[in-house]
Amino acid sequence: MKTISVKFDDYVLELLNREAKEKKLTRMEIIRSAVVNFLLNRDDVGDLAYIQSHKNDKLSSFDDTFK
């Protein structure tokens, strides 16, 4: 298993703290559960359709996007 580093803003951290307290779990257990749930329940067909529909879109440059 690998460790990843993630930064949360104060709002998300407060939500995690509140949910952890209510469910009597650690924040890491909640995050791990959310990631596993996302991976098990994602809609690959929808993702592929979305990618296909935007296949020919022109990508903006980094400079134009973050001006």
Side-chain angles (χ1 to χ4, degrees):
M1 218 186 284
K2 285 192 169 191
T3 301
I4 61 171
S5 176
V6 178
K7 290 185 178 183
F8 293 111
D9 64 9
D10 290 338
Y11 176 73
V12 173
L13 193 57
E14 181 58 35
L15 289 176
L16 282 170
N17 287 334
R18 193 176 317 143
E19 186 168 345
K21 192 173 187 178
E22 288 174 8
K23 294 185 176 182
K24 297 180 180 164
L25 299 169
T26 65
R27 288 184 305 202
M28 194 61 232
E29 289 171 320
I30 292 173
I31 294 167
R32 187 180 298 121
S33 173
V35 169
V36 169
N37 189 36
F38 169 77
L39 293 173
L40 291 176
N41 295 312
R42 66 184 199 183
D43 183 11
D44 291 333
V45 173
D47 293 342
L48 292 174
Y50 178 81
I51 291 168
Q52 187 65 27
S53 69
H54 292 282
K55 189 167 95 174
N56 296 320
D57 289 359
K58 182 180 180 287
L59 298 177
S60 301
S61 72
F62 181 85
D63 292 333
D64 290 341
T65 303
F66 295 101
K67 276 187 179 177

